[in-house]
Amino acid sequence: MNAYRAKPLNFPWPALLFGVATLAALMLARHFPIPVAHGHGWFPWISGGILIVAAIWLDLWAVKTLLDRHTAVMPYRSATCLVTYGPFRFTRNPIYLGYTLMMIGFGLATLNPWFFITAIAAVMLTTLFAIRNEERHLLSRFGFEFERYCRHTSRWI
């Protein structure tokens, strides 16, 4: 298949994986709660809120950067150009990093340790099922330019 017409994914797996991980954290907390000390007052709630706001800001910044370059935002669409500025200077997957930070923020704000555990699972599954396919797609589309970008920018943080 022509690399310029190929799609990285056939379905938006990352959004589904992080959504399922969030629901799993809520359900697990209800049926198998993990006790947490509540001695720190407002600190977990405030730090969780800050992380959630930062995650939303990171996601919006990444989407705006992709839209400014007129390339695909959805992971099941073919990329028209390699974006290496904005949040993409710091991480190759700022939207997925935003999802992860949001889950950690929810875990802190609700004092639900299941959010941390399911976030790790979501990161591993997203890397396995989505990011590797997206990277193969970008490598076939942009070759050496993408390889150089990968050498200078980490996948997650």
Side-chain angles (χ1 to χ4, degrees):
M1 179 179 279
N2 185 344
Y4 288 95
R5 297 170 71 204
K7 295 190 241 178
L9 301 174
N10 292 325
F11 186 78
W13 289 109
L16 178 69
L17 292 171
F18 279 95
V20 167
T22 299
L23 291 175
L26 294 170
M27 295 300 293
L28 287 166
R30 183 176 177 90
H31 296 291
F32 304 103
I34 299 174
V36 176
H38 297 282
H40 298 296
W42 290 90
F43 180 74
W45 190 84
I46 291 171
S47 59
I50 290 170
L51 267 179
I52 291 168
V53 169
I56 292 169
W57 178 79
L58 179 63
D59 282 348
L60 292 174
W61 186 24
V63 168
K64 181 186 178 319
T65 303
L66 292 171
L67 291 174
D68 287 348
R69 290 297 304 230
H70 305 287
T71 191
V73 174
M74 300 304 290
Y76 55 87
R77 303 260 174 137
S78 182
T80 57
C81 67
L82 182 63
V83 179
T84 60
Y85 71 97
F88 295 92
R89 288 178 301 188
F90 311 109
T91 175
R92 295 195 308 254
N93 298 288
I95 295 173
Y96 305 154
L97 179 60
Y99 292 168
T100 306
L101 292 175
M102 195 173 304
M103 286 193 68
I104 293 169
F106 283 135
L108 285 170
T110 62
L111 294 174
N112 180 354
W114 286 111
F115 273 102
F116 306 116
I117 297 165
T118 58
I120 292 169
V123 164
M124 291 174 16
L125 291 172
T126 298
T127 301
L128 184 66
F129 291 114
I131 292 174
R132 291 190 178 172
N133 288 334
E134 291 172 3
E135 288 178 347
R136 257 192 310 276
H137 166 74
L138 293 171
L139 182 62
S140 71
R141 291 284 307 241
F142 306 108
F144 178 72
E145 186 180 357
F146 180 68
E147 287 177 348
R148 184 176 53 218
Y149 172 63
C150 288
R151 280 195 298 272
H152 299 291
T153 310
S154 66
R155 181 180 280 163
W156 282 97
I157 296 177

